[in-house]
């Protein structure tokens, strides 16, 4: 079987790429070992973050490093095995986190974020997925007066970028979320033109169904190897081989293992997150996702229940679950809402694909013709999938680009 394009990876990014290409008359195969939206795109906080114009730099001040070193924080934890394996990427991450570098990176990052809700809307409408999306924003809650003051100042400045917000007193926060106990908090920011999704995995599946309704093909199989072919590429799986003119690697944190045999070794590293659902009751119903900025977790209203999503854990992809961070988070979450009955006994865990300069890789591979990369979106693959899909379609079909791709070039690290 030969296709015009094969996309490896059926998360939000890969599914969006396949959708855009199929919509524009390419015969596309979307290939993954699991059904669309079953890995990282299933387990996120369910936010389409129009306000996310700032990246998350590596701590550079001594006080910040001292805060993290005891490895007991709720927002970030680490395992030395992962630090040692990915030490070169982490060193680059530290270097790219210098203030001047971050300023430039954020200017480039904004060129993607500014399109996120518009591009999702095109796909939401085509997929008939309106019921999964709420457009009333989310709540950023603060316990520290100093950090809240800095966040409010940054929020006011973000209005220049078309980002809408309201600063909330605790009384105003309680009016929006009467079931919450906000003792210990001093205020909040309501990001009003970001969107909430009640089931992130279901949204990806809806996009994949829309793709199939346009005669796109989805196959569940494990990719074992990719090889150049005289007319393009051969993709070898557990069960069979496929052939294609163009090949897109959008396999998130698994991308490197697919492209290393071809001579690529990008500084991609995983950051794990956890979530667990609790039964929704009259006493704990919330209308918005609540983000505790000081403790680093999200409480979101989902179809499955109240989802508690952790920050980041630096660990190896193959490492067993370490529920210490989640348990620490739940201690604080249960002070805000009554969370008495778990929906699933075992917490979910998944890895986010991160790059040291906090930007994704989008564009031509470099060493091979007709090979394209789209991965490394960190915490924002769910937000940025549709605009990434549009860009990759424009690249493959040689169209004018909506967003300049030079800042996201796969070869930017070898050029440094």
């Amino acid at each position: 079987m030969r296709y015009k394009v094969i996309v490896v990876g059926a998360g939000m990014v890969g599914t969006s790429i396949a959708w855009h290409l199929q919509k524009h008359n390419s015969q596309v195969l979307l290939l993954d070992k699991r059904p669309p939206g079953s890995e990282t795109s299933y387990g996120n906080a369910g936010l389409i973050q129009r306000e996310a114009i700032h990246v998350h730099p590596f701590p550079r001040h001594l006080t910040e490093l001292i805060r993290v070193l005891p490895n007991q924080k709720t927002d970030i934890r680490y395992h030395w095995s992962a630090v040692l394996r990915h030490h070169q990427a982490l060193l680059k991450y530290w270097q790219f986190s210098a203030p001047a570098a971050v300023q430039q990176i954020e200017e480039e990052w904004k060129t993607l974020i500014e399109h996120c809700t518009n591009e999702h809307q095109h796909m939401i409408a085509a997929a008939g997925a309106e019921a999964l999306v709420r457009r009333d924003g989310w709540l950023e809650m603060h316990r520290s007066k100093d950090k809240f003051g800095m966040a409010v100042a940054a929020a006011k400045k973000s209005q220049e970028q078309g980002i809408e917000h309201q600063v909330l007193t605790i009384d105003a926060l309680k009016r929006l979320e009467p079931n919450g106990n906000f003792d210990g908090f001093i205020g909040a920011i309501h990001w009003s033109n970001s969107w909430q999704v009640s089931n992130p995995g279901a949204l990806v599946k809806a996009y994949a169904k829309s793709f199939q309704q346009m005669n796109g093909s989805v196959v569940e199989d494990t990719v074992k190897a990719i090889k150049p072919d005289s007319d393009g590429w051969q993709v070898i799986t557990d069960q069979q081989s496929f052939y294609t003119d163009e090949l897109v690697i959008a396999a998130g944190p698994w991308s490197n293992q697919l492209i290393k045999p071809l001579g690529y070794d990008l500084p991609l590293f995983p950051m794990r997150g956890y979530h667990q659902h609790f039964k929704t009751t009259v006493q704990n119903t919330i209308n918005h996702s609540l983000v505790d900025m000081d403790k680093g977790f999200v409480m979101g209203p989902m179809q499955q229940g109240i989802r508690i999503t952790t920050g980041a854990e630096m660990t190896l992809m193959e490492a067993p679950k370490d529920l210490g961070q989640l348990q620490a988070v739940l201690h604080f979450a249960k002070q805000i809402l009554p969370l008495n009955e778990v929906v699933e006994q075992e917490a979910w865990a998944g890895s986010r694909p991160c790059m040291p300069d906090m930007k994704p890789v989008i564009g031509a591979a470099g060493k091979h013709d007709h090979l394209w990369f789209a991965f490394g979106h960190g915490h924002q693959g769910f937000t940025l999938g549709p605009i990434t899909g549009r860009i990759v379609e424009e690249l493959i079909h040689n169209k004018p680009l909506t967003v300049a791709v030079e800042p996201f070039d796969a070869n930017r690290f070898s050029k440094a």
Side-chain angles (χ1 to χ4, degrees):
M1 181 71 71
R2 187 169 194 92
Y3 294 87
K4 180 64 178 175
V5 187
I6 292 178
V7 179
V8 178
M12 178 60 84
V13 173
T15 299
S16 298
I17 293 168
W19 187 91
H20 275 276
L21 285 162
Q22 189 70 29
K23 185 176 182 238
H24 291 88
N25 302 314
S26 284
Q27 189 58 42
V28 183
L29 169 64
L30 181 60
L31 182 59
D32 201 316
K33 62 185 176 183
R34 299 192 64 193
S38 297
E39 290 283 359
T40 309
S41 294
Y42 164 78
N44 58 73
L47 297 174
I48 300 172
Q49 293 187 251
R50 175 64 185 89
E51 91 298 333
I53 58 174
H54 300 294
V55 296
H56 297 283
F58 194 95
R60 290 181 64 88
H61 295 294
L62 183 60
T63 53
E64 293 176 309
L65 291 169
I66 290 172
R67 183 185 73 87
V68 172
L69 279 176
N71 210 18
Q72 296 297 313
K73 303 302 292 183
T74 50
D75 54 348
I76 177 68
R77 297 217 177 168
Y78 60 90
H79 293 264
W80 282 111
S81 56
V83 173
L84 292 172
R85 181 181 295 185
H86 298 292
H87 71 278
Q88 291 181 323
L90 292 174
L91 177 60
K92 290 180 183 291
Y93 183 12
W94 183 83
Q95 292 170 337
F96 281 114
S97 296
V102 168
Q103 185 176 1
Q104 178 62 34
I105 288 165
E106 289 189 339
E107 289 300 316
E108 296 162 347
W109 174 254
K110 291 172 191 175
T111 65
L112 295 174
I113 286 290
E114 66 184 3
H115 297 283
C116 67
T117 49
N118 286 341
E119 291 301 321
H120 264 285
Q121 183 55 45
H122 296 317
M123 297 182 67
I124 290 165
E130 291 287 347
L132 293 171
V133 183
R134 294 179 60 175
R135 295 172 176 80
D136 47 8
W138 61 275
L139 304 176
E140 175 184 313
M141 308 186 306
H142 286 267
R143 300 170 184 264
S144 162
K145 183 177 180 180
D146 290 344
K147 290 183 179 178
F148 184 47
M150 290 188 289
V152 169
K156 289 179 179 177
K157 190 173 182 181
S158 74
Q159 290 176 309
E160 302 167 3
Q161 310 285 332
I163 296 166
E164 300 170 6
H165 78 283
Q166 293 83 41
V167 178
L168 304 178
T169 64
I170 293 301
D171 286 342
L173 178 59
K174 287 179 178 177
R175 286 194 292 272
L176 282 177
E177 297 296 348
N179 283 331
N181 171 24
F182 302 113
D183 291 347
F185 292 93
I186 61 168
I189 299 172
H190 181 193
W191 297 107
S192 51
N193 62 339
S194 293
W195 298 351
Q196 299 180 101
V197 176
S198 61
N199 188 326
L203 185 62
V204 180
K205 292 182 191 305
Y207 290 172
K209 183 178 179 181
S210 175
F211 162 73
Q212 290 176 293
Q213 289 170 341
M214 295 185 289
N215 296 317
S217 300
V218 176
V219 170
E220 292 174 40
D221 205 347
T222 299
V223 176
K224 292 298 185 182
I226 55 177
K227 297 181 178 180
D229 177 69
S230 58
D231 298 315
W233 291 89
Q234 179 187 15
V235 180
I236 302 168
T237 70
D238 272 344
Q239 304 297 325
Q240 56 193 309
S241 289
F242 301 95
Y243 297 87
T244 183
D245 298 344
E246 310 279 349
L247 177 62
V248 182
I249 304 299
W254 296 273
S255 297
N256 248 2
Q257 66 192 53
L258 294 173
I259 62 177
K260 275 188 176 181
L262 298 172
Y264 299 92
D265 188 12
L266 275 67
L268 181 71
F269 62 95
M271 293 292 278
R272 183 180 288 179
Y274 296 84
H275 83 229
Q276 193 160 31
H277 292 104
F278 290 81
K279 185 177 179 180
T280 304
T281 66
V282 173
Q283 290 76 29
N284 69 15
T285 296
I286 51 177
N287 303 307
H288 306 80
S289 287
L290 310 178
V291 181
D292 187 330
M293 296 299 291
D294 295 83
K295 303 302 180 183
F297 67 92
V298 184
M299 311 176 74
M302 298 283 178
Q303 289 180 349
Q304 302 100 314
I306 305 294
R307 177 180 292 187
I308 310 301
T309 308
T310 66
E313 179 191 41
M314 182 75 196
T315 191
L316 300 175
M317 292 274 289
E318 64 272 18
K321 294 178 183 178
D322 180 348
L323 299 180
Q325 185 183 26
L326 178 62
Q327 293 303 323
V329 159
L330 289 176
H331 170 75
F332 293 101
K334 289 179 179 180
Q335 294 174 7
I336 301 170
L337 290 176
L339 304 171
N340 299 317
E341 185 178 345
V342 294
V343 173
E344 64 276 276
Q345 291 301 315
E346 184 175 354
W348 176 91
S351 295
R352 305 156 180 135
C354 301
M355 300 299 293
D357 63 353
M358 298 158 277
K359 298 181 298 184
V361 173
I362 305 173
K367 296 179 182 179
H368 298 81
D369 293 334
H370 310 295
L371 178 63
W372 309 88
F373 294 161
F375 51 78
H377 293 71
H379 294 250
Q380 297 295 351
F382 189 75
T383 292
L384 295 176
I387 182 56
T388 302
R390 178 172 179 172
I391 293 167
V392 173
E393 185 274 324
E394 290 168 347
L395 286 166
I396 289 177
H397 291 156
N398 197 27
K399 295 179 178 178
L401 295 177
T402 302
V403 175
V405 294
E406 288 79 9
F408 314 107
D409 185 357
N411 300 297
R412 62 188 187 264
F413 298 101
S414 60
K415 294 174 184 176

